[in-house]
Amino acid sequence: MKEKPKDITFHYTNEQMVKDLIAITPLTGSVLDAGSGKNKVWYKNIPDGLEKYECEIEDGCDFMEWDKKVNWIIGNPPFNIGWKFIEKSCEIAQTGIAVLGNINNFNQFTPKRLHKMKEKGFTLNHIKIVADKRWFGRYYYLIFTKNNNNLLSWERKTY
């Protein structure tokens, strides 16, 4: 029996979820949706009055080659490059990084990596846990900023 192909919209972030997540993100200045996808749902919902940009590799704009500084980077990055995406974001974002990911993405934030982010000035300020009936498990919206209000601590020593 041939398996039915998965509907491409399965991967898209629900638009109301995006609106709700953007509403709790203190966006200012310029905002980059670093992986806008075919539906561009994050990009389309960046509030009016902000300078907005997007990257989408399928449209010929690879985030990993982006070099313009922006205040914020937002979105739902590809799971297969989760940590590389965060490292690149730390080089470009001047104010904050807000990303949605599953538990596998959350697990990439090891003490060593959190320490690297802190050296770049970024600390975790907010975690919003959400669910989508199409997706397995919980998803975590993480907001990192350069305001030193770290709500997370870690131990680099292994026990």
Side-chain angles (χ1 to χ4, degrees):
M1 177 183 240
K2 195 172 186 180
E3 232 180 88
K4 181 180 175 185
K6 193 176 282 187
D7 179 6
I8 187 71
T9 61
F10 172 85
H11 298 287
Y12 295 159
T13 311
N14 176 285
E15 187 165 15
Q16 188 58 55
M17 181 189 295
V18 169
K19 289 177 180 180
D20 293 345
L21 296 175
I22 285 176
I24 65 167
T25 310
L27 299 175
T28 57
S30 54
V31 182
L32 171 62
D33 176 355
S36 59
K38 291 289 185 196
N39 68 344
K40 304 186 183 312
V41 69
W42 291 85
Y43 180 76
K44 290 187 307 189
N45 286 288
I46 294 170
D48 292 338
L50 298 174
E51 188 178 343
K52 62 185 191 175
Y53 302 96
E54 66 171 314
C55 285
E56 175 50 50
I57 198 163
E58 290 184 20
D59 293 339
C61 185
D62 185 347
F63 172 62
M64 298 313 246
E65 295 174 8
W66 184 272
D67 62 359
K68 179 180 175 64
K69 302 282 187 192
V70 294
N71 294 99
W72 279 88
I73 293 177
I74 62 168
N76 185 354
F79 295 162
N80 63 330
I81 61 162
W83 179 246
K84 287 181 182 181
F85 180 93
I86 295 297
E87 283 183 305
K88 179 71 174 180
S89 297
C90 287
E91 298 301 322
I92 295 168
Q94 302 299 294
T95 306
I97 302 164
V99 294
L100 177 66
N102 64 12
I103 192 66
N104 294 324
N105 291 91
F106 192 74
N107 279 336
Q108 73 188 344
F109 293 100
T110 63
K112 183 178 179 178
R113 288 174 171 174
L114 287 166
H115 189 76
K116 282 183 178 182
M117 288 185 76
K118 189 170 185 176
E119 287 177 338
K120 301 272 184 194
F122 289 99
T123 57
L124 183 62
N125 287 114
H126 194 115
I127 301 173
K128 177 85 169 185
I129 303 170
V130 295
D132 183 316
K133 62 186 173 197
R134 300 168 302 155
W135 302 342
F136 177 76
R138 291 333 110 229
Y139 283 72
Y140 303 87
Y141 185 64
L142 308 175
I143 301 174
F144 294 90
T145 62
K146 286 189 171 184
N147 69 8
N148 291 321
N149 288 335
N150 195 18
L151 69 82
L152 186 66
S153 65
W154 56 87
E155 178 59 62
R156 292 188 68 191
K157 174 174 46 178
T158 302
Y159 298 94

